[in-house]
Amino acid sequence: MTADNPELPGGELAEGHLADQYEPILLDEPTTADLRVKVTEAWQDFARALANQVRGLPPGTQIALTLDPTASGTGDAVYSVSIEIAEDGRIDVRAVGNAVLPQGYRLDRSAIADMIALGWSPPGVVEGSGDHFGMRTTTTEASRLATTVSRTLRDVYGAPHPAFLVFLVHDAEDEPIPVEPLGTARPEVAADVSVDLDLEEALSAARAAQAADESMALEERVRTVVSAMMKSSADQLQVDSDGDIGIRAGSAMVFVRVRDNPPLVDVFSPVLTEVEPTEQLYVKLSELTNRMPIGRLYCTNDTVWASIPVFGRNFQATHLMLAVQVMTGLADELDDRLHGEFGGRRFFVEGDKPGQRDSEHRTGMYL
């Protein structure tokens, strides 16, 4: 990454100032809808965590970041970025290029131009880059690097949210290195975990926690259940500025919010974004809601949401787990149906290819 990039100022500022300088690149308009704010903040958290890791890892360490193909439906097309920490604070970065992507999933001219604008050199230009886009920088520019990598994964490779990324950190001997979470991105060893396969474990954990402390607050009980479903610890759950826990299940993004007055747990998911609110849409959402035994569908700020409430008084772990299960299935079913009838964009479309995107901002693609 060079100092003469017109979009990214040079490296003459102190690292603390660099963070302040480049973080606004991750921001969208402050008047954007709640979903847009949530996704933007998730990418900010990911970029900050990545920058911190890059600064602190020893030479020889490599970080591999990949758009989870099991969620993207891209099959053999693996969109990834690798970061290698060299001696003296140098960093070599590689991003997948068309030579290693199957036909039908390759970057179009617009995407390649985006890569160059972000500071990447074409494949083969940077020594050792081979068939990959290349970049060389230093740990003093960790914030700028993290921003570039985040924008590459989101805007060019099409990751709608950091939760759709998996990462692996290993040393020069290819041994895994335990690191702090990179926002909502998932460690590769846990990338195949499915929330609908861990109900018994989550139920046992919730019962054990409640038996150990009958006075446990509702928020703690919810965190215990969700962390068990995700096979992680409660302190590793990523909570956004609204206090919502984000869960990625397949191609769906589900949020869990705890409300105090009255005690309630809201499980909700964005079904469709960038949709035009019309009378016909509201009528359809009302009809679908009337058919649901519990929960509702509603539209706000050009986004259709699905929501299922779970009572917080006499909280039952099984109710929350079933709500998450139902929500993931509901989101997968309704997004196709509503998209076909009313347009808009599904939060994450299986089989989406970077070459098919348009030039407008997508709700799942900010920074």
Side-chain angles (χ1 to χ4, degrees), residues 88-107:
D88 303 323
R90 292 181 295 106
I91 302 176
D92 288 323
V93 195
R94 305 284 182 265
V96 70
N98 282 342
V100 293
L101 291 173
Q103 189 72 32
Y105 293 93
R106 293 171 182 169
L107 308 181

Side-chain angles (χ1 to χ4, degrees), residues 31-53:
T31 56
T32 50
D34 289 348
L35 178 59
R36 181 178 291 244
V37 172
K38 281 182 176 298
V39 175
T40 300
E41 290 178 345
W43 281 109
Q44 287 180 309
D45 291 340
F46 169 78
R48 280 193 291 266
L50 179 59
N52 289 335
Q53 291 292 353

Side-chain angles (χ1 to χ4, degrees), residues 15-37:
E15 178 61 10
H17 291 162
L18 277 173
D20 295 336
Q21 180 71 28
Y22 295 121
E23 188 171 60
I25 301 175
L26 306 177
L27 293 170
D28 275 293
E29 293 296 327
T31 56
T32 50
D34 289 348
L35 178 59
R36 181 178 291 244
V37 172

